[in-house]
Amino acid sequence: MARAPRLTESAGAVFAVLAEAGSATRPQLATLAGLSKPTVSSAVAELEGVRLAAHSGTSSGGTGRTAAVYRLGPAAGSVLAVDLGPALTRVRGCALDGTLLAEATGSRAGAADVVREALDALPADAPLRTIVVAVGDVTAPGERGTGMRPATAKAGPVFDAVAVALPPGVPVHLENNVNCAALAELHEGAARGRHTFGYLRIGVGIGLGIVVGGRVLRGANGAAGELARLPYPWADGSEPRHEALEDYMGARSLLRRAAEVWQKADGPCPRTTDRLLALARKGSAPARAVLDRHAVDVGRLAAAVIAVLDPGLVVLGGSTGADPRLLPGVRAEVERLSWPTEVVSSTVGDLGTVVGAARLAVARGVQTVTEAARVKD
């Protein structure tokens, strides 16, 4: 990894706002950075000198004057975001202003090859600043302080398989996949403009992304939102089991319940949740009944989340949770059991995790450059 050049504090501040803006004139940079125009002019010249900023054209103002427009330069570099999903691996490479440079998708079993494909598509002159890997697990510090590791065996093997494809010397950060999806909803999805909400994912597994004050809440152990660990069942004569709630709410159990009620006259029993959802949309009575029951269960889980967090907004995501068919039933159960809370379906879809991971990677990539700004002006 190419080391970021040492910058003055003002140059670091201007680089950060230029990455956020994408492109800007020097007067605009002065306003955004809260610096004087002469200081910004000096900072821009410094950034141009080390190829962290580049001239990209001119802009005409209302007075007829033109101003030079700047963007990030080739030396600003790129970042990589990897979503190690339960079935698919999605990878995105981005510039530090968020511009998409490369993407690849493939099976979970071939995750390393998918990562290599995206890496090969990145510009050769754009140094890789950081990598964010989204995993379906709690993340914990590495045993020897060498980065992050999945906390359990749930995501460890696939992460190890991908790690061999990652270039040495580039910082790797792990983040929970549901937290990444929550970030995508915050900035680009159903929670845009909201600073506090819960992102409830229902799919192969279950999970909760908690956003408070515009920031993801991770908890003391990085395990905030691990709904699979809620005690279940919790009733007289029942003994809660480890992750029993996820077993009950997950896709496998949903398909098993469909199989229990399916009749020969109903046609072939669905073997995937996608097929179950498709049949419900076509009016299949047993499919609709199974999903209506699932909506009630999701509504009860959402009511439990609301009782603890009072988030004001719950976004339903995941391969089954985001389906619009569930929304009315979830809303009805929340209304029955809890105080008024807005419940909506995700708008970022299956790409939410990699989109959120890319946004996090960009933020960390910018940080690697601006952290070099230690020289006083």
Side-chain angles (χ1 to χ4, degrees):
M1 178 188 71
R3 188 177 297 277
R6 196 167 178 82
L7 302 172
T8 59
E9 288 185 356
S10 58
V14 169
F15 180 86
V17 297
L18 184 57
E20 177 71 21
S23 63
T25 63
R26 278 178 288 186
Q28 289 170 336
L29 290 171
T31 300
L32 292 170
L35 299 171
S36 69
K37 291 181 180 179
T39 299
V40 167
S41 294
S42 177
V44 168
E46 181 183 347
L47 293 172
E48 283 189 290
V50 291
R51 302 174 68 236
L52 288 175
H55 182 265
S56 65
T58 57
S59 174
S60 297
T63 62
R65 294 182 179 180
T66 61
V69 178
Y70 296 90
R71 57 173 174 77
L72 296 186
S78 60
V79 297
L80 198 72
V82 182
D83 169 19
L84 298 179
L88 293 177
T89 298
R90 293 183 172 90
V91 185
R92 283 192 168 192
C94 297
L96 294 196
D97 62 1
T99 301
L100 182 65
L101 300 175
E103 59 182 338
T105 303
S107 69
R108 181 182 174 96
D113 291 333
V114 180
V115 171
R116 292 188 185 97
E117 180 184 344
L119 284 170
D120 290 343
L122 290 176
D125 62 346
L128 190 59
R129 297 297 183 189
T130 193
I131 300 167
V132 169
V133 181
V135 296
D137 198 354
V138 177
T139 57
E143 293 180 1
R144 294 180 294 277
T146 55
M148 301 291 286
R149 287 276 302 147
T152 71
K154 188 183 289 187
V158 68
F159 174 73
D160 291 339
V162 165
V164 301
L166 302 179
V170 180
V172 178
H173 304 273
L174 265 67
E175 182 56 271
N176 177 265
N177 57 353
V178 180
N179 286 345
C180 288
L183 283 173
E185 295 290 350
L186 171 66
H187 294 286
E188 303 177 36
R192 190 184 306 183
R194 306 291 284 266
H195 299 289
T196 298
F197 68 96
Y199 170 77
L200 181 57
R201 171 174 281 185
I202 308 293
V204 174
I206 62 173
L208 176 69
I210 305 167
V211 176
V212 178
R215 299 175 66 87
V216 171
L217 180 67
R218 292 177 172 83
N221 298 295
E226 286 294 304
L227 298 181
R229 300 296 182 94
L230 285 175
Y232 180 87
W234 197 355
D236 292 342
S238 298
E239 184 72 18
R241 305 186 314 277
H242 179 70
E243 297 190 349
L245 182 58
E246 184 167 78
D247 289 341
Y248 174 75
M249 295 285 294
R252 293 183 183 88
S253 291
L254 180 62
L255 292 173
R256 185 170 60 249
R257 286 192 286 275
E260 289 171 354
V261 301
W262 217 263
Q263 303 294 320
K264 286 185 178 181
D266 299 322
C269 182
R271 297 182 179 275
T272 66
T273 54
D274 285 345
R275 179 59 180 162
L276 178 65
L277 294 168
L279 287 171
R281 285 191 290 270
K282 291 179 180 179
S284 166
R288 295 177 67 174
V290 169
L291 287 178
D292 287 346
R293 174 64 211 188
H294 196 53
V296 172
D297 289 333
V298 175
R300 291 173 180 174
L301 183 57
V305 168
I306 293 166
V308 175
L309 296 178
D310 185 22
L313 171 68
V314 173
V315 179
L316 301 178
S319 56
T320 54
D323 190 275
R325 261 210 59 81
L326 267 66
L327 191 57
V330 174
R331 285 174 169 170
E333 195 68 0
V334 166
E335 184 177 358
R336 186 177 76 86
L337 295 174
S338 190
W339 47 80
T341 300
E342 186 178 1
V343 182
V344 300
S345 297
S346 165
T347 59
V348 296
D350 294 340
L351 295 178
T353 294
V354 75
V355 167
R359 179 171 285 275
L360 184 59
V362 165
R364 290 189 177 275
V366 171
Q367 186 178 14
T368 64
V369 176
T370 57
E371 280 181 346
R374 294 290 182 266
V375 180
K376 291 286 185 181
D377 295 293

